[in-house]
Amino acid sequence: MAGLLYRLGRFSARRHWLVIIAWVVIMGVAGLTYSLFAGTISSSITIPGTKTSQVQDELADKFPSANGGNGTLVFETTDGTAFTTAQKDDVKDFLDGLTDLDGVKEVNDGFTTQAQLDEQRQKIVDGREQLEDGRKQIEDGQAQIDQQKTELESGKEQIADAQAQLDQQKAQAQEQAQAAGPEAASSAQAQAGQQQLEQAQAQIDAQRQQIESGEQQLEAAQQEIDDNTAKLEDNERELEQGSDLLDLSEGIRFVSSNDSAAIGTVQFTESTFEVPQETKQAISDRAEDADIDGVEVYVSNDIAQGVPSILGPGEVVGVIIAALVLLLMLRTVIGAAIPLVSAVLGVGVASLAALSFSSLVEFISVTPVLGVMLGLAVGIDYSLFILNRHRTQLKAGMGVHESIGLANGTSGNAVVFAGTTVIVALLALNITGIPFLGLMGTVGAVAVLFAILIATSFTPALLSLLGMRILRRKERQQIGHTGSVRVPDKPMSTWRAVITLVAGVAVLGTIALPATQMRLGLPTGASEATESSQYKAYKALEDEFGAGQNGPLLVVADLPEAIAEDDVTATEVTIGQALAKNDDVEAVLPIGASEDRDIIAFQVKPAGGPDSVSTETLVKDLREQTVKTDDGTVTLGVAGNASANIDVSEKLANVLPLYLVVVVGLSLIILIVVFRSFLVPITATAGFILSVLASFGGLTAIYQFGWLGSVFGVHDPAPILSFLPIIEIGILFGLAMDYQLFLVSGMREAYAHGASAKVAVQRGLHAGRAVVTAAAIIMISVFAGFIFSESSTIKPIGFGLAFGVLVDAFVVRMLLIPAVMHLLGKSAWWIPKWLDRILPDVDVEGAKLERSHPTDGGHGDDHGAGAGAHRGSHAADVEPDANPHEGHTPTHRA
């Protein structure tokens, strides 16, 4: 690889215009493909296959009419008074005007929805009064019927008595007639008596018929009373069921209790994650420009969460600081400009090339920003390594083209190795099985790849174009007279090593302590800038409607079998009351049953916010809950933004250990090959773990606990960004191995040249600390610039990486690793002979290339060639006890 890079450097030096124009053309092609094929970038983070996505898929299938996401707008009077009629009309008109936007299905204003709820509650009150009146009428009618029944019974008794008397009279008359004989029976008196008896019988029969008719009427009246009573009971049952449902949803309001705030809802034709950014931006713009007298319009996070700008003021300041560091180190404006130009070109090509695929693959907004962040940081550093080596060789008298080739083959070789390590760590994110995370790692790897390609081709071309002007005039006058380089010949004291190691581990361990309480989550509106619309909407909802209004849960009840239409309300009450029994449930609002009535959906308002521990616990409790009904057991599924955030965080937390094991294992293998040692890789990996834990501790303390919040713009502490730990592990691993390489390989080189193991530690540190310090400061500056980004997602990423690099470079690599190497002594370099024989000789810094290209300066195609060029190696002054049969020559440290 060193020879190939040497030839590439020489070619770029000789054909500098060709290389420069080629990269400009590549940039143009990338820009063209971006303009032709770029798609929409999503601001939402989703993972397929989670419990939330499964419930959402079920809802899309069972509730096609309700399919589509919702966005929330909050309307609040500026003086805190109740809305006037004119203001309500203006709010409704504003919302109605949003329906002409592409992707908006319908809108609902809170005033109408709240009025409907209030009307339903009033209907319950009126219905209860009507039921009471009906019950009173039925009772009165029953009393009249009972009275009439009593009267009829009395009449029936009187008739029975009369009939008995009549029957007795008939019997007496018959006896008298028999006793008197036939003549008496036919007498006029007898006939008159018989006629009277018949008349009496007729009267009794008529009375009996009248009573029977009355009984029939009473039976009909009783049946009517019974029917009305049954209807009354049915109505009362339905009314009480409706009352129970309204009682369950009493905590859900769409207009605040003091009438000073209202919620407007926009329903989209697609899920919130798939709504075009142009539509969301149009809603945000209209809300900002809304001219409603005395009313503020705020757009919530589900609409206003847009794509963060790639370079904001904070990022520009970071780049400016990096430029100042370059200027102080190189003391030449031209020299300082080369790494910056190279890095910007690499970032431009990588970003445009990656985003050209955004129409085919879903990009989340943080993905290109992470690519820019990495591309700038490593791009500047990688060009600096080669540039610094080239300048040192020029000052020693080497020709321009030969120096460029040799710098590319030595420091460029180390750059390729370090960059490849970062790329492998980032590509390993694909093993997590999480699409957006794998894509994020791939885009970051592409940015690092282009940083390597630019540093090893475009940077040499620029160096050739500038020639000797890369040196200051005073430096050019002193070419070939730089003198020998003083190197340490005494090791550090053992006590100093012990104290450094103990103190360093103690400090890092203390910083890492908050990480034991780290919680993972995704940003909410509370994380946005206090002057932003999202933050104001979040706080207005929290203050006026309760914290749970910012993260309502969607609960789907899967019934054991389809139910009858008449049983829907009763089933809703049964399940709703079971849901309401959970701790931290503030309200339950039934949404409806599916068309085939085998699932019922509810909106559950939790007591806590979307990122609270109580809401996380509630989601888990609901998913584990079962509800018993007459038909069997009902199972519950949970969806919604809060649920999705919990699922994403849980999935990422589950894959974090696997990724850490892969990265640590990769670290050990790579370092064993590079340093041909067992203990050096173990100490390097232990240092990396310390750096990561300390970084996690700092993140937790500031962004979750809120310590130093005013300094870092943390006004509402919240859980740590769910994918940040795994991203930080990958990136810090690559960068840590970078610094480990540039420092410890110098120690190994000095030891191989005959220096004692402990002196070699000092020599390696002395040789590499200047360039590592500059590189670390540059990287910290670039990452730190993103801390003050407008995006709540980008801020903690910038801090985590900046703090991680700070800890790893200045504490772990420059303090702890030298102390450990000193204490280990010769044992640090032990490796079994059989393994030493089979390991490949990677020659990371191109020592073999240096030996095959003596720097005598006699190259006719170079500018400013000189004789007897000094290598500038930290091991140039080899001690008298140097081991001549080691077969190594001094190698310059970049």
Side-chain angles (χ1 to χ4, degrees):
M1 178 60 74
L4 176 62
L5 290 171
Y6 170 80
R7 291 191 294 274
L8 176 61
R10 293 277 298 184
F11 174 81
S12 299
R14 291 195 303 270
R15 301 286 188 268
H16 51 261
W17 280 116
L18 176 63
V19 173
I20 293 172
I21 292 173
W23 275 111
V24 173
V25 170
I26 292 173
M27 178 76 167
V29 171
L32 179 62
T33 57
Y34 170 77
S35 63
L36 293 177
F37 304 112
T40 302
I41 297 179
S42 172
S43 58
S44 303
I45 298 172
T46 58
I47 298 179
T50 61
K51 295 177 182 178
T52 296
S53 63
Q54 292 170 2
V55 172
Q56 289 172 335
D57 292 341
E58 184 179 26
L59 283 172
D61 180 50
K62 297 288 187 177
F63 290 87
S65 60
N67 190 25
N70 292 302
T72 302
L73 295 96
V74 182
F75 302 86
E76 190 173 33
T77 58
T78 54
D79 56 3
T81 58
F83 283 94
T84 64
T85 302
Q87 288 172 334
K88 291 180 180 179
D89 293 338
D90 290 342
V91 169
K92 293 177 181 178
D93 292 341
F94 171 82
L95 288 171
D96 290 338
L98 299 179
T99 55
D100 63 354
L101 295 175
D102 183 36
V104 175
K105 181 188 293 186
E106 64 179 8
V107 296
N108 296 290
D109 68 272
F111 303 113
T112 301
T113 308
Q114 187 65 50
Q116 291 172 347
L117 286 175
D118 293 341
E119 183 180 355
Q120 290 176 2
R121 291 190 172 92
Q122 187 59 46
K123 284 182 178 179
I124 296 294
V125 175
D126 295 341
R128 282 177 175 156
E129 292 179 356
Q130 292 172 2
L131 286 174
E132 191 63 32
D133 292 341
R135 186 178 293 107
K136 189 173 185 299
Q137 292 176 3
I138 288 175
E139 290 174 352
D140 291 343
Q142 186 66 55
Q144 292 177 359
I145 289 174
D146 292 342
Q147 182 179 357
Q148 290 175 2
K149 283 182 178 180
T150 301
E151 293 175 354
L152 286 176
E153 290 297 327
S154 176
K156 287 171 69 176
E157 290 176 359
Q158 293 176 359
I159 290 173
D161 292 343
Q163 184 67 52
Q165 292 177 2
L166 182 62
D167 290 342
Q168 184 179 1
Q169 291 175 1
K170 285 180 178 181
Q172 291 175 354
Q174 188 174 7
E175 289 176 358
Q176 291 175 358
Q178 289 176 353
E183 295 181 356
S186 59
S187 65
Q189 183 178 4
Q191 290 179 350
Q194 183 65 33
Q195 186 176 5
Q196 289 177 353
L197 289 173
E198 290 176 353
Q199 290 176 349
Q201 184 64 53
Q203 290 177 353
I204 290 174
D205 291 341
Q207 290 175 354
R208 182 180 286 113
Q209 185 177 2
Q210 186 177 3
I211 287 177
E212 290 176 353
S213 176
E215 285 180 334
Q216 291 177 354
Q217 291 176 356
L218 284 178
E219 287 177 0
Q222 185 64 56
Q223 184 62 45
E224 184 178 358
I225 289 290
D226 292 342
D227 291 343
N228 289 337
T229 301
K231 289 180 181 179
L232 185 70
E233 291 174 351
D234 290 341
N235 291 336
E236 186 174 18
R237 183 172 60 256
E238 291 178 3
L239 187 70
E240 291 307 316
Q241 289 175 348
S243 176
D244 290 339
L245 291 180
L246 286 175
D247 290 341
L248 288 172
S249 63
E250 188 175 1
I252 296 178
R253 294 187 58 85
F254 297 88
V255 178
S256 62
S257 56
N258 60 3
D259 291 334
S260 66
I263 298 173
T265 304
V266 179
Q267 185 175 2
F268 300 107
T269 55
E270 298 177 303
S271 70
T272 308
F273 306 135
E274 298 172 345
V275 176
Q277 185 59 37
E278 294 78 7
T279 300
K280 293 182 178 181
Q281 189 59 49
I283 295 175
S284 298
D285 292 341
R286 292 192 185 185
E288 186 176 354
D289 298 335
D291 187 17
I292 304 178
D293 186 34
V295 176
E296 294 288 348
V297 184
Y298 306 132
V299 182
S300 65
N301 212 39
D302 45 15
I303 295 178
Q305 188 181 41
V307 178
S309 61
I310 291 180
L311 282 178
E315 293 88 330
V316 172
V317 170
V319 173
I320 291 174
I321 294 175
L324 292 175
V325 173
L326 288 170
L327 187 60
L328 290 174
M329 179 182 180
L330 302 175
R331 298 184 181 180
T332 165
V333 175
I334 294 177
I338 289 179
L340 292 173
V341 172
S342 298
V344 170
L345 176 63
V347 164
V349 174
S351 298
L352 293 174
L355 289 173
S356 297
F357 294 92
S358 57
S359 59
L360 302 176
V361 183
E362 183 179 357
F363 275 65
I364 65 170
S365 57
V366 72
T367 300
V369 179
L370 182 66
V372 169
M373 193 184 299
L374 274 175
L376 280 176
V378 301
I380 295 173
D381 277 4
Y382 292 168
S383 291
L384 172 62
F385 292 148
I386 296 173
L387 168 64
N388 190 56
R389 175 65 178 262
H390 172 58
R391 278 171 46 84
T392 302
Q393 292 172 164
L394 286 181
K395 288 187 285 186
M398 189 180 297
V400 174
H401 288 183
E402 176 65 11
S403 176
I404 291 173
L406 193 57
N408 216 44
T410 53
S411 291
N413 197 39
V415 162
V416 170
F417 174 81
T420 302
T421 305
V422 180
I423 289 173
V424 171
L426 289 171
L427 290 178
L429 288 169
N430 287 279
I431 69 171
T432 61
I434 299 175
F436 85 85
L437 200 58
L439 180 62
M440 194 180 297
T442 301
V443 171
V446 169
V448 176
L449 173 62
F450 274 101
I452 295 172
L453 295 175
I454 291 286
T456 54
S457 60
F458 183 75
T459 297
L462 288 182
L463 292 175
S464 175
L465 183 65
L466 292 175
M468 299 300 295
R469 287 175 295 172
I470 194 66
L471 299 177
R472 291 177 294 133
R473 180 177 301 177
K474 183 177 180 181
E475 291 173 330
R476 292 198 293 269
Q477 292 173 353
Q478 296 177 350
I479 289 177
H481 302 285
T482 56
S484 61
V485 180
R486 292 188 58 188
V487 293
D489 56 3
K490 292 183 180 180
M492 75 173 78
S493 68
T494 301
W495 276 110
R496 177 185 170 189
V498 172
I499 292 174
T500 299
L501 179 61
V502 173
V505 171
V507 169
L508 294 183
T510 302
I511 296 174
L513 282 177
T516 59
Q517 301 180 50
M518 178 188 287
R519 293 179 56 237
L520 300 180
L522 293 175
T524 65
S527 303
E528 302 297 334
T530 54
E531 67 275 5
S532 67
S533 179
Q534 303 100 296
Y535 182 82
K536 293 177 180 177
Y538 188 96
K539 286 301 181 182
L541 289 174
E542 184 178 69
D543 295 340
E544 299 295 341
F545 300 92
Q549 190 68 44
N550 281 297
L553 302 175
L554 190 60
V555 177
V556 174
D558 287 287
L559 307 180
E561 60 182 31
I563 59 175
E565 188 173 355
D566 293 339
D567 295 333
V568 170
T569 303
T571 307
E572 286 179 337
V573 171
T574 300
I575 299 174
Q577 289 176 338
L579 296 176
K581 290 179 181 178
N582 285 279
D583 293 335
D584 299 309
V585 170
E586 197 165 275
V588 179
L589 177 66
I591 297 176
S594 60
E595 187 175 349
D596 52 9
R597 296 183 298 280
D598 61 347
I599 69 170
I600 299 178
F602 298 85
Q603 179 180 313
V604 174
K605 179 182 175 183
D611 57 2
S612 67
V613 176
S614 62
T615 300
E616 183 177 349
T617 303
L618 176 60
V619 170
K620 295 177 181 178
D621 290 343
L622 289 172
R623 285 174 173 166
E624 294 173 358
Q625 183 179 5
T626 56
V627 181
K628 299 292 185 181
T629 65
D630 294 337
D631 298 324
T633 301
V634 177
T635 57
L636 304 176
V638 185
N641 289 340
S643 170
N645 291 352
I646 292 169
D647 285 348
V648 170
S649 301
E650 183 177 348
K651 185 73 177 288
L652 289 168
N654 290 339
V655 299
L656 181 59
L658 169 65
Y659 183 70
L660 184 58
V661 169
V662 170
V663 168
V664 169
L666 184 66
S667 167
L668 290 172
I669 294 172
I670 291 175
L671 293 179
I672 287 174
V673 172
V674 172
F675 296 117
R676 312 182 83 82
S677 164
F678 272 160
L679 293 180
V680 169
I682 291 175
T683 57
T685 303
F688 158 69
I689 294 174
L690 276 176
S691 300
V692 168
L693 293 178
S695 178
F696 289 173
L699 277 168
T700 305
I702 291 174
Y703 290 92
Q704 183 177 318
F705 295 169
W707 299 353
L708 300 177
S710 58
V711 176
F712 294 95
V714 181
H715 42 76
D716 288 72
I720 301 302
L721 188 64
S722 55
F723 59 85
L724 177 53
I726 200 166
I727 283 288
E728 188 163 341
I729 286 175
I731 295 175
L732 285 183
F733 163 73
L735 301 181
M737 296 309 102
D738 190 350
Y739 300 139
Q740 180 81 5
L741 168 69
F742 279 97
L743 289 172
V744 180
S745 60
M747 301 176 189
R748 179 177 179 273
E749 181 184 348
Y751 180 68
H753 279 82
S756 67
K758 296 186 177 182
V759 170
V761 172
Q762 289 296 87
R763 290 188 176 181
L765 180 62
H766 180 268
R769 65 186 177 190
V771 70
V772 169
T773 297
I777 292 175
I778 289 170
M779 199 164 284
I780 292 168
S781 301
V782 173
F783 289 151
F786 288 85
I787 295 175
F788 305 99
S789 166
E790 61 184 19
S791 169
S792 58
T793 304
I794 302 300
K795 288 179 180 181
I797 295 178
F799 174 84
L801 293 177
F803 188 65
V805 171
L806 174 68
V807 168
D808 191 84
F810 294 106
V811 179
V812 174
R813 305 302 153 188
M814 292 193 188
L815 292 177
L816 297 187
I817 293 299
V820 171
M821 294 292 290
H822 175 90
L823 295 174
L824 289 176
K826 291 182 179 180
S827 60
W829 306 108
W830 177 83
I831 190 171
K833 292 183 179 180
W834 64 268
L835 182 59
D836 188 47
R837 286 193 298 269
I838 65 175
L839 286 178
D841 185 4
V842 294
D843 189 22
V844 174
E845 292 202 316
K848 293 180 180 179
L849 177 67
E850 274 198 307
R851 292 197 298 272
S852 63
H853 290 78
T855 56
D856 58 2
H859 300 279
D861 61 343
D862 285 354
H863 306 286
H870 173 60
R871 287 179 177 271
S873 167
H874 64 274
D877 300 330
V878 180
E879 293 183 349
D881 62 346
N883 192 343
H885 60 266
E886 288 285 353
H888 293 276
T889 57
T891 302
H892 169 70
R893 296 287 303 147

